[in-house]
Amino acid sequence: MGAISSEQTLAAKLRQAREEAGLTQERLAQALGVSRELVALWERGDRRPSSYQLARLAAVCGVEESSLLSPGPLRPLEGLGRLIGEEEARELQPEARQELLGFLDFLDAYARFLEEVEGESLPAGGRPPRALEAREGLLTDLRQASSQALRVRAHYDLGQDALPDLYTFLDELGVLVYKAHLPPEADLWGAFYRHPRLGAAVLVNVNATPGRQSFTLAHELAHFLYHGRLPGILCRRQVSQGEPYWEVERFANAWAAHFLVPGKALKEQARRLGALTPEGVVLLAGHFRASYTLLLYRLANEGLLAPEKVREWSRLSPGALARRLGLEAFSWEGGPREQPASPLELGLRRYPPSVLARVRRAVLEGRLSPGEAASLLDVDVPLLREELLAPPEPGDQRELWELEGALDFTSPGRKPRRPSALEA
């Protein structure tokens, strides 16, 4: 019997990698931007993928490229190779590299916690509803950005005005949001990663303005809905035409803009104001609970404001404009979230509420020790005890006194509910 050729070895490895990643030939072809017939030719050994196609294929399937080309088992990607290409990883600043590795390490540790402590069977969650998934390949058509954004708002009954807090909203969708402190020179706003056991996870750079953080969250939500077949995407300040995922990033930007501030609703609100002024933009920002700067650009996107006005009015202080209108708390621009001075100051604020609630409950129920919880969340035990495990502090009773007379009733047709064992 003749020796098996290197082409046959590669063909068999390609099929094995695809099948172990749970992808059909059609799905893999869509993720790579090629035809299904070409994928079939690769797997039969009749054609060989180019070096670029092979690198993309390895990333999509989550395996080391070198293991596709040599005998032996396939090797899963490790370290930053799971999220970005090796060349891109080498160009990162050490601080950014450390934060991204911390993100990936936490996801692995949290997956083990869910399996071993919570008894969950993974993979689970972190997938978009079938009704919202892109039907064909990776959605990159800018002409669909507005209609798709409205479709998502309608699916979640969000209307066309102000959105809920996006950190909380993504957490409720099962998208794990991790906060990182990335240096300005890293030129990174966030990342999307498809964890093999947890599903969709998002990293957001909190060393950015609240307006940029909200835009990043909406941008990563677009990746979750339409680009979840990709293994990972870094959200950078500049992505040049022709770079990998350039069209994907461009679509996510357009979708995020329409999701945060729908064009039709913006035009209706702008018409009610009459002639646009900087103060009027502040009122629009308050209506949509979006940043003043975002509103300037959305008005320009919709042809309601000239580009030179965007440049001129962007130099003004939105806080001062708001105070002129008697709006003392301009929280949607200044932001209630404090920007940490360093990664160490983030502490438990890195993690979404659902993660902290699960870990706290596991410790209080004796299924996880404080030391294990501190290791999982990468904090020391005293901080964990002080911020997560301490009993609730008593609150101000004034509001209770003010509201109890008005709200102390049972809705018609409802019987008073007895306390459960957990509330006792």
Side-chain angles (χ1 to χ4, degrees), residues 10 30 37 82 93 100 118 158 175 184 212 226 239 297 301 349 359 408 412:
L10 174 61
Q30 290 168 353
E37 289 76 16
R82 296 183 290 167
Q93 288 79 7
L100 291 170
E118 298 287 86
L158 298 175
V175 179
R212 176 65 238 195
Y226 309 112
V239 180
Y297 278 103
N301 296 154
R349 288 182 290 169
V359 173
D408 187 15

Side-chain angles (χ1 to χ4, degrees), residues 225-344:
L225 293 170
Y226 309 112
H227 311 133
R229 300 187 188 102
L230 298 176
I233 310 170
L234 284 189
C235 176
R236 296 182 289 157
R237 182 178 175 82
Q238 295 291 341
V239 180
S240 302
Q241 185 172 355
E243 286 188 56
Y245 306 147
W246 171 72
E247 291 186 340
V248 165
E249 287 289 88
R250 191 176 59 145
F251 176 85
N253 282 336
W255 186 92
H258 286 284
F259 181 70
L260 292 168
V261 182
K264 182 178 178 181
L266 176 61
K267 291 176 182 177
E268 290 175 356
Q269 293 300 320
R271 274 196 296 269
R272 292 177 185 175
L273 291 176
L276 276 176
T277 63
E279 290 80 6
V281 178
V282 164
L283 293 175
L284 290 172
H287 177 83
F288 290 101
R289 304 295 289 180
S291 78
Y292 172 81
T293 304
L294 175 64
L295 260 296
L296 288 175
Y297 278 103
R298 288 296 293 121
L299 288 165
N301 296 154
E302 301 299 329
L304 301 173
L305 192 65
E308 55 268 22
K309 287 294 184 183
V310 174
R311 291 190 291 270
E312 178 186 345
W313 293 359
S314 65
R315 301 188 185 99
L316 303 177
S317 165
L321 293 170
R323 288 189 293 274
R324 183 181 298 174
L325 301 175
L327 301 172
E328 296 295 332
F330 198 48
S331 60
W332 54 90
E333 176 64 34
R337 306 182 190 95
E338 297 179 4
Q339 291 177 292
S342 69
L344 291 176

Side-chain angles (χ1 to χ4, degrees), residues 128-144:
R130 288 187 177 274
L132 297 178
E133 281 188 299
R135 294 180 180 178
E136 296 182 2
L138 303 173
L139 187 55
T140 59
D141 187 351
L142 293 186
R143 295 170 298 181
Q144 297 188 45

Side-chain angles (χ1 to χ4, degrees), residues 109 113 117 348 359 362-364 366-385 388-389:
F113 163 76
V117 178
L348 293 175
V359 173
V363 174
L364 294 180
R367 294 181 289 110
L368 195 70
S369 73
E372 291 170 330
S375 176
L376 170 63
L377 300 175
D378 196 25
V379 296
D380 57 37
V381 173
L383 177 66
L384 184 85
R385 291 188 184 281
L388 188 64
L389 303 180

